Coordinates of all heavy atoms in Angstrom, one line a residue:
D1541 N 6.0 11.5 -29.6 CA 6.0 11.2 -31.1 C 4.9 11.9 -31.9 O 4.5 11.4 -32.9 CB 5.9 9.6 -31.3 CG 7.1 8.9 -30.7 OD1 8.2 9.4 -30.7 OD2 6.9 7.8 -30.2
I1542 N 4.4 12.9 -31.3 CA 3.4 13.7 -32.0 C 4.0 15.1 -32.2 O 4.4 15.8 -31.3 CB 2.1 13.9 -31.2 CG1 1.5 12.5 -30.9 CG2 1.1 14.8 -31.9 CD1 0.3 12.5 -30.0
T1543 N 4.0 15.5 -33.5 CA 4.5 16.8 -33.8 C 3.3 17.8 -33.9 O 2.4 17.6 -34.7 CB 5.2 16.8 -35.2 OG1 6.3 15.9 -35.2 CG2 5.7 18.2 -35.6
L1544 N 3.3 18.7 -33.0 CA 2.2 19.7 -32.8 C 2.4 20.9 -33.7 O 3.6 21.4 -33.8 CB 2.0 20.1 -31.4 CG 1.7 19.0 -30.4 CD1 1.7 19.6 -29.0 CD2 0.4 18.3 -30.7
T1545 N 1.4 21.5 -34.2 CA 1.5 22.8 -34.9 C 1.6 23.8 -33.8 O 1.4 23.6 -32.6 CB 0.2 23.0 -35.7 OG1 -0.9 23.2 -34.8 CG2 -0.1 22.0 -36.7
D1546 N 2.0 25.0 -34.2 CA 2.1 26.1 -33.3 C 0.8 26.4 -32.6 O 0.8 26.6 -31.4 CB 2.6 27.4 -34.0 CG 4.1 27.3 -34.4 OD1 4.8 26.4 -33.8 OD2 4.5 28.1 -35.3
A1547 N -0.3 26.3 -33.3 CA -1.6 26.5 -32.7 C -1.9 25.4 -31.7 O -2.4 25.7 -30.6 CB -2.7 26.5 -33.8
Q1548 N -1.6 24.2 -32.0 CA -1.8 23.1 -31.1 C -0.9 23.2 -29.8 O -1.4 22.9 -28.7 CB -1.5 21.7 -31.7 CG -2.6 21.3 -32.7 CD -2.2 20.1 -33.5 OE1 -1.0 19.9 -33.9 NE2 -3.1 19.2 -33.7
K1549 N 0.3 23.7 -30.0 CA 1.2 23.9 -28.8 C 0.6 24.9 -27.9 O 0.6 24.8 -26.7 CB 2.6 24.4 -29.3 CG 3.4 23.4 -30.0 CD 4.7 24.0 -30.4 CE 5.5 23.1 -31.3 NZ 6.7 23.8 -31.8
E1550 N 0.0 26.0 -28.4 CA -0.6 27.0 -27.6 C -1.8 26.5 -26.9 O -2.1 26.8 -25.7 CB -1.0 28.3 -28.4 CG 0.2 29.1 -28.8 CD 0.9 29.7 -27.6 OE1 0.3 30.2 -26.6 OE2 2.2 29.6 -27.5
Q1551 N -2.6 25.7 -27.6 CA -3.8 25.1 -27.0 C -3.4 24.2 -25.9 O -4.0 24.2 -24.8 CB -4.6 24.4 -28.1 CG -5.3 25.3 -29.0 CD -6.0 24.5 -30.2 OE1 -5.4 23.7 -30.8 NE2 -7.3 24.8 -30.4
A1552 N -2.4 23.3 -26.1 CA -1.9 22.4 -25.1 C -1.4 23.1 -23.9 O -1.7 22.7 -22.7 CB -0.8 21.5 -25.7
K1553 N -0.7 24.2 -24.1 CA -0.2 25.0 -23.0 C -1.4 25.6 -22.2 O -1.4 25.5 -20.9 CB 0.7 26.2 -23.5 CG 1.3 27.0 -22.4 CD 2.1 28.1 -23.0 CE 2.6 29.1 -22.0 NZ 3.4 30.2 -22.5
T1554 N -2.4 26.1 -22.8 CA -3.6 26.6 -22.2 C -4.3 25.6 -21.4 O -4.7 25.8 -20.2 CB -4.5 27.3 -23.2 OG1 -3.8 28.3 -23.9 CG2 -5.8 27.8 -22.5
I1555 N -4.4 24.4 -21.9 CA -5.0 23.3 -21.2 C -4.2 22.9 -20.0 O -4.8 22.7 -18.9 CB -5.2 22.0 -22.2 CG1 -6.2 22.4 -23.2 CG2 -5.6 20.8 -21.4 CD1 -6.2 21.4 -24.4
R1556 N -2.9 22.8 -20.1 CA -2.1 22.4 -18.9 C -2.2 23.5 -17.8 O -2.4 23.2 -16.7 CB -0.6 22.3 -19.3 CG -0.3 21.0 -20.1 CD 1.2 20.7 -20.2 NE 1.8 21.8 -21.0 CZ 2.0 21.7 -22.3 NH1 1.7 20.6 -23.0 NH2 2.6 22.7 -23.0
E1557 N -2.2 24.8 -18.2 CA -2.2 25.8 -17.3 C -3.6 25.9 -16.5 O -3.7 26.3 -15.4 CB -2.0 27.2 -18.0 CG -0.5 27.4 -18.4 CD -0.3 28.6 -19.2 OE1 -1.3 29.3 -19.6 OE2 0.9 28.9 -19.5
K1558 N -4.6 25.5 -17.2 CA -6.0 25.4 -16.7 C -6.0 24.5 -15.4 O -6.8 24.9 -14.5 CB -6.9 24.9 -17.7 CG -8.4 24.7 -17.3 CD -9.2 24.2 -18.4 CE -10.6 23.8 -18.0 NZ -11.4 23.3 -19.1
Y1559 N -5.3 23.5 -15.4 CA -5.4 22.5 -14.3 C -4.3 22.7 -13.2 O -4.4 22.0 -12.2 CB -5.2 21.1 -14.9 CG -6.4 20.7 -15.7 CD1 -6.5 20.8 -17.1 CD2 -7.6 20.2 -15.1 CE1 -7.6 20.5 -17.8 CE2 -8.7 19.9 -15.8 CZ -8.7 20.0 -17.1 OH -9.9 19.7 -17.8
V1560 N -3.4 23.6 -13.4 CA -2.4 23.8 -12.4 C -2.9 24.2 -11.0 O -2.5 23.5 -10.0 CB -1.4 24.9 -12.9 CG1 -0.4 25.3 -11.7 CG2 -0.6 24.4 -14.0
P1561 N -3.8 25.1 -10.9 CA -4.3 25.5 -9.5 C -5.0 24.3 -8.8 O -4.7 24.0 -7.6 CB -5.3 26.6 -9.8 CG -5.0 27.1 -11.1 CD -4.4 26.0 -11.9
Q1562 N -5.8 23.5 -9.5 CA -6.4 22.4 -8.9 C -5.4 21.3 -8.5 O -5.5 20.7 -7.5 CB -7.5 21.8 -9.9 CG -8.6 22.8 -10.2 CD -9.3 22.3 -11.5 OE1 -9.9 21.3 -11.5 NE2 -9.4 23.2 -12.5
Q1563 N -4.4 21.0 -9.4 CA -3.4 20.0 -9.1 C -2.6 20.5 -7.9 O -2.2 19.6 -7.1 CB -2.5 19.8 -10.3 CG -3.3 19.1 -11.5 CD -2.5 19.2 -12.8 OE1 -1.6 20.0 -13.0 NE2 -2.9 18.3 -13.7
M1564 N -2.2 21.7 -7.9 CA -1.4 22.2 -6.7 C -2.2 22.1 -5.4 O -1.6 21.7 -4.4 CB -1.0 23.7 -7.0 CG -0.1 23.9 -8.1 SD 1.5 23.2 -7.9 CE 2.2 24.3 -6.7
E1565 N -3.5 22.4 -5.4 CA -4.3 22.2 -4.3 C -4.3 20.8 -3.7 O -4.2 20.5 -2.6 CB -5.7 22.7 -4.6 CG -6.7 22.7 -3.4 CD -8.1 23.1 -3.8 OE1 -8.2 24.2 -4.5 OE2 -9.0 22.5 -3.4
L1566 N -4.5 19.9 -4.7 CA -4.5 18.4 -4.3 C -3.2 18.0 -3.8 O -3.1 17.2 -2.8 CB -5.0 17.6 -5.5 CG -6.4 17.7 -5.9 CD1 -6.7 17.0 -7.2 CD2 -7.3 17.3 -4.8
R1567 N -2.1 18.4 -4.4 CA -0.7 18.1 -3.9 C -0.4 18.6 -2.6 O 0.1 17.9 -1.7 CB 0.3 18.5 -4.9 CG 0.6 17.5 -6.0 CD 1.8 17.9 -6.8 NE 1.9 19.2 -7.3 CZ 1.2 19.6 -8.4 NH1 0.4 18.8 -9.0 NH2 1.3 20.9 -8.8
K1568 N -0.9 19.9 -2.3 CA -0.6 20.5 -1.0 C -1.4 19.7 0.1 O -0.9 19.5 1.2 CB -1.1 21.9 -1.0 CG -0.1 22.8 -1.7 CD -0.6 24.3 -1.7 CE 0.4 25.2 -2.4 NZ -0.1 26.5 -2.5
A1569 N -2.6 19.3 -0.2 CA -3.4 18.5 0.7 C -2.7 17.2 1.0 O -2.7 16.7 2.1 CB -4.8 18.2 0.2
A1570 N -2.2 16.5 0.0 CA -1.5 15.3 0.1 C -0.2 15.4 1.0 O 0.1 14.6 1.8 CB -1.2 14.6 -1.2
Q1571 N 0.5 16.5 0.7 CA 1.8 16.8 1.4 C 1.5 17.1 2.9 O 2.2 16.7 3.8 CB 2.5 17.9 0.8 CG 3.1 17.6 -0.5 CD 3.7 18.7 -1.3 OE1 3.5 19.9 -0.9 NE2 4.5 18.5 -2.3
A1572 N 0.4 17.8 3.2 CA 0.0 18.1 4.5 C -0.3 16.9 5.4 O 0.1 16.9 6.6 CB -1.2 19.1 4.5
T1573 N -0.9 15.9 4.8 CA -1.2 14.7 5.5 C -0.1 13.6 5.4 O -0.1 12.7 6.2 CB -2.5 14.1 5.0 OG1 -2.4 13.7 3.6 CG2 -3.7 15.0 5.2
G1574 N 0.8 13.8 4.5 CA 1.9 12.8 4.3 C 1.5 11.6 3.5 O 2.3 10.7 3.2
S1575 N 0.2 11.6 3.0 CA -0.2 10.5 2.2 C -1.4 10.9 1.3 O -2.0 12.0 1.6 CB -0.6 9.3 3.0 OG -1.8 9.6 3.8
I1576 N -1.8 10.1 0.4 CA -2.9 10.4 -0.5 C -4.0 9.5 -0.1 O -3.9 8.2 -0.3 CB -2.5 10.2 -2.0 CG1 -1.4 11.2 -2.3 CG2 -3.7 10.5 -2.9 CD1 -0.8 11.0 -3.7
D1577 N -5.2 10.0 0.3 CA -6.3 9.2 0.6 C -7.1 8.9 -0.7 O -6.8 9.4 -1.8 CB -7.3 9.9 1.6 CG -7.8 11.2 1.1 OD1 -7.8 11.5 -0.1 OD2 -8.3 11.9 2.0
D1578 N -8.0 8.0 -0.6 CA -8.7 7.5 -1.8 C -9.5 8.6 -2.5 O -9.5 8.7 -3.8 CB -9.7 6.4 -1.5 CG -8.9 5.1 -1.1 OD1 -7.8 4.9 -1.5 OD2 -9.5 4.2 -0.5
A1579 N -10.0 9.5 -1.7 CA -10.8 10.6 -2.3 C -9.9 11.6 -3.1 O -10.2 12.0 -4.2 CB -11.5 11.4 -1.2
T1580 N -8.7 11.9 -2.5 CA -7.8 12.7 -3.2 C -7.2 12.1 -4.5 O -7.1 12.7 -5.5 CB -6.6 13.1 -2.3 OG1 -7.1 13.8 -1.1 CG2 -5.6 14.0 -3.0
R1581 N -6.9 10.8 -4.4 CA -6.5 10.0 -5.5 C -7.5 10.0 -6.6 O -7.2 10.2 -7.8 CB -6.1 8.6 -5.1 CG -5.6 7.7 -6.2 CD -5.2 6.3 -5.8 NE -4.0 6.4 -4.9 CZ -4.1 6.1 -3.6 NH1 -5.2 5.8 -3.0 NH2 -3.0 6.2 -2.9
A1582 N -8.8 9.9 -6.3 CA -9.8 9.9 -7.3 C -9.9 11.2 -7.9 O -10.1 11.3 -9.2 CB -11.2 9.5 -6.6
K1583 N -9.8 12.3 -7.2 CA -9.8 13.7 -7.7 C -8.7 13.9 -8.7 O -8.8 14.5 -9.7 CB -9.8 14.7 -6.6 CG -11.1 14.8 -5.8 CD -11.0 15.8 -4.7 CE -12.2 15.8 -3.8 NZ -12.0 16.7 -2.6
M1584 N -7.5 13.4 -8.3 CA -6.3 13.5 -9.2 C -6.5 12.8 -10.5 O -6.2 13.3 -11.6 CB -5.0 13.0 -8.5 CG -4.5 13.9 -7.4 SD -3.0 13.1 -6.7 CE -2.4 14.4 -5.6
Q1585 N -7.0 11.6 -10.4 CA -7.3 10.8 -11.6 C -8.4 11.5 -12.5 O -8.3 11.4 -13.7 CB -7.7 9.4 -11.2 CG -6.5 8.6 -10.7 CD -7.0 7.2 -10.1 OE1 -8.1 7.0 -9.8 NE2 -6.0 6.3 -10.0
D1586 N -9.4 12.0 -11.8 CA -10.4 12.7 -12.6 C -9.8 13.9 -13.3 O -10.1 14.1 -14.5 CB -11.5 13.2 -11.6 CG -12.7 13.9 -12.3 OD1 -13.2 13.3 -13.3 OD2 -13.0 15.0 -12.0
L1587 N -9.0 14.7 -12.6 CA -8.3 15.9 -13.3 C -7.5 15.4 -14.5 O -7.5 16.0 -15.5 CB -7.5 16.6 -12.3 CG -8.2 17.6 -11.4 CD1 -7.2 18.3 -10.4 CD2 -9.0 18.7 -12.1
Q1588 N -6.7 14.3 -14.2 CA -5.8 13.8 -15.3 C -6.6 13.3 -16.5 O -6.3 13.6 -17.6 CB -4.9 12.7 -14.8 CG -3.9 13.2 -13.8 CD -3.2 12.0 -13.1 OE1 -3.6 10.9 -13.2 NE2 -2.1 12.4 -12.3
G1589 N -7.8 12.7 -16.2 CA -8.6 12.2 -17.3 C -9.2 13.4 -18.1 O -9.3 13.3 -19.3
K1590 N -9.7 14.4 -17.4 CA -10.2 15.6 -18.1 C -9.2 16.3 -18.9 O -9.4 16.7 -20.1 CB -10.8 16.6 -17.1 CG -12.1 16.1 -16.4 CD -12.6 17.1 -15.4 CE -13.8 16.6 -14.7 NZ -14.3 17.6 -13.7
Q1591 N -7.9 16.4 -18.4 CA -6.9 17.1 -19.1 C -6.5 16.2 -20.3 O -6.3 16.8 -21.4 CB -5.6 17.2 -18.2 CG -4.5 18.0 -18.9 CD -3.4 18.3 -17.9 OE1 -3.3 17.8 -16.8 NE2 -2.4 19.0 -18.4
A1592 N -6.4 14.9 -20.2 CA -6.1 14.1 -21.3 C -7.2 14.2 -22.4 O -6.9 14.3 -23.6 CB -6.0 12.6 -20.9
A1593 N -8.4 14.2 -22.0 CA -9.5 14.3 -23.0 C -9.4 15.7 -23.8 O -9.7 15.7 -25.0 CB -10.9 14.2 -22.3
E1594 N -9.1 16.7 -23.0 CA -9.0 18.0 -23.7 C -7.8 18.1 -24.6 O -7.9 18.6 -25.7 CB -8.9 19.2 -22.7 CG -10.2 19.4 -22.0 CD -10.2 20.6 -21.1 OE1 -9.5 21.7 -21.4 OE2 -10.8 20.6 -20.0
L1595 N -6.7 17.5 -24.2 CA -5.5 17.4 -25.1 C -5.8 16.6 -26.3 O -5.5 17.0 -27.5 CB -4.3 16.8 -24.4 CG -3.6 17.7 -23.3 CD1 -2.6 16.8 -22.5 CD2 -2.9 18.8 -24.0
R1596 N -6.5 15.5 -26.2 CA -6.9 14.6 -27.3 C -7.7 15.4 -28.3 O -7.6 15.2 -29.5 CB -7.5 13.4 -26.8 CG -7.8 12.3 -27.9 CD -8.4 11.1 -27.4 NE -8.5 10.0 -28.3 CZ -9.4 9.9 -29.3 NH1 -10.3 10.9 -29.5 NH2 -9.3 8.9 -30.2
A1597 N -8.6 16.2 -27.8 CA -9.6 16.9 -28.6 C -8.9 17.9 -29.6 O -9.5 18.2 -30.6 CB -10.6 17.6 -27.8
I1598 N -7.7 18.4 -29.3 CA -7.1 19.4 -30.1 C -6.3 18.7 -31.2 O -5.7 19.4 -32.1 CB -6.2 20.3 -29.3 CG1 -5.0 19.6 -28.7 CG2 -7.0 21.1 -28.3 CD1 -3.9 20.5 -28.1
L1599 N -6.2 17.4 -31.2 CA -5.4 16.6 -32.1 C -6.1 16.2 -33.4 O -7.3 16.0 -33.4 CB -4.8 15.4 -31.5 CG -4.0 15.6 -30.2 CD1 -3.6 14.3 -29.6 CD2 -2.7 16.5 -30.5
T1600 N -5.4 16.0 -34.5 CA -6.0 15.4 -35.7 C -6.3 14.0 -35.5 O -5.8 13.4 -34.5 CB -5.0 15.6 -36.9 OG1 -3.9 14.8 -36.7 CG2 -4.6 17.0 -37.1
T1601 N -7.0 13.3 -36.4 CA -7.3 11.9 -36.3 C -6.0 11.1 -36.2 O -5.9 10.2 -35.4 CB -8.2 11.5 -37.4 OG1 -9.4 12.3 -37.5 CG2 -8.6 10.0 -37.3
D1602 N -5.1 11.4 -37.1 CA -3.8 10.6 -37.1 C -3.1 10.8 -35.8 O -2.5 9.8 -35.2 CB -2.9 11.1 -38.2 CG -3.5 10.6 -39.6 OD1 -4.3 9.7 -39.6 OD2 -3.1 11.2 -40.6
Q1603 N -3.0 12.0 -35.2 CA -2.4 12.3 -34.0 C -3.1 11.6 -32.8 O -2.4 11.1 -31.9 CB -2.3 13.8 -33.7 CG -1.4 14.5 -34.6 CD -1.5 16.1 -34.5 OE1 -2.6 16.6 -34.2 NE2 -0.4 16.8 -34.7
Q1604 N -4.4 11.5 -32.9 CA -5.1 10.8 -31.8 C -4.8 9.3 -31.7 O -4.8 8.8 -30.6 CB -6.6 11.0 -32.1 CG -7.1 12.4 -31.8 CD -8.6 12.6 -32.0 OE1 -9.3 11.7 -32.6 NE2 -9.1 13.7 -31.7
V1605 N -4.4 8.7 -32.9 CA -4.1 7.3 -32.9 C -2.8 7.1 -32.0 O -2.7 6.2 -31.1 CB -3.8 6.8 -34.3 CG1 -3.2 5.4 -34.3 CG2 -5.2 6.8 -35.1
T1606 N -1.8 8.0 -32.2 CA -0.6 7.9 -31.4 C -0.8 8.3 -30.0 O -0.3 7.6 -29.1 CB 0.5 8.9 -32.0 OG1 0.7 8.6 -33.4 CG2 1.8 8.8 -31.3
F1607 N -1.7 9.3 -29.8 CA -2.0 9.7 -28.4 C -2.7 8.5 -27.6 O -2.3 8.2 -26.5 CB -3.0 10.9 -28.5 CG -3.4 11.4 -27.1 CD1 -2.7 12.4 -26.5 CD2 -4.6 10.9 -26.5 CE1 -3.2 12.9 -25.3 CE2 -5.0 11.4 -25.3 CZ -4.3 12.4 -24.7
D1608 N -3.6 7.8 -28.3 CA -4.3 6.7 -27.7 C -3.3 5.6 -27.3 O -3.4 4.9 -26.3 CB -5.4 6.1 -28.6 CG -6.6 7.1 -28.7 OD1 -6.7 8.1 -27.9 OD2 -7.3 7.0 -29.7
K1609 N -2.3 5.3 -28.2 CA -1.3 4.3 -28.0 C -0.4 4.8 -26.8 O -0.1 3.9 -25.9 CB -0.4 4.2 -29.2 CG 0.8 3.2 -29.1 CD 1.6 3.1 -30.3 CE 2.6 4.2 -30.4 NZ 3.8 4.3 -29.9
N1610 N 0.0 6.0 -26.7 CA 0.7 6.5 -25.6 C 0.0 6.4 -24.3 O 0.5 6.0 -23.3 CB 1.1 8.0 -25.8 CG 2.1 8.2 -27.0 OD1 2.8 7.2 -27.4 ND2 2.2 9.4 -27.5
L1611 N -1.3 6.7 -24.3 CA -2.2 6.6 -23.1 C -2.2 5.2 -22.6 O -2.1 4.9 -21.4 CB -3.5 7.2 -23.4 CG -4.5 7.2 -22.2 CD1 -4.0 8.1 -21.1 CD2 -5.9 7.7 -22.7
A1612 N -2.4 4.2 -23.6 CA -2.5 2.8 -23.2 C -1.2 2.3 -22.6 O -1.2 1.6 -21.6 CB -2.8 2.0 -24.4
E1613 N 0.0 2.8 -23.2 CA 1.3 2.4 -22.6 C 1.4 3.0 -21.2 O 2.0 2.3 -20.3 CB 2.4 2.9 -23.6 CG 2.5 2.1 -24.9 CD 3.5 2.7 -25.8 OE1 4.2 3.7 -25.5 OE2 3.6 2.2 -26.9

Side-chain angles (χ1 to χ4, degrees):
D1541 298 327
I1542 298 174
T1543 302
L1544 299 175
T1545 64
D1546 289 340
Q1548 287 173 318
K1549 287 179 192 177
E1550 283 301 315
Q1551 289 173 310
K1553 180 180 176 183
T1554 301
I1555 291 167
R1556 284 190 299 266
E1557 289 174 353
K1558 173 182 173 181
Y1559 289 95
V1560 170
Q1562 297 164 57
Q1563 291 167 340
M1564 293 296 286
E1565 181 180 319
L1566 291 173
R1567 271 193 308 284
K1568 284 180 183 177
Q1571 289 172 346
T1573 63
S1575 66
I1576 300 175
D1577 61 16
D1578 290 338
T1580 302
R1581 183 177 291 110
K1583 288 177 186 176
M1584 285 180 173
Q1585 289 173 341
D1586 183 52
L1587 281 178
Q1588 290 171 351
K1590 288 178 182 177
Q1591 185 175 3
E1594 287 187 39
L1595 286 170
R1596 188 179 188 279
I1598 67 170
L1599 303 175
T1600 66
T1601 305
D1602 290 339
Q1603 290 171 327
Q1604 287 178 352
V1605 171
T1606 303
F1607 181 91
D1608 293 342
K1609 179 183 77 89
N1610 292 343
L1611 182 60
E1613 288 174 2

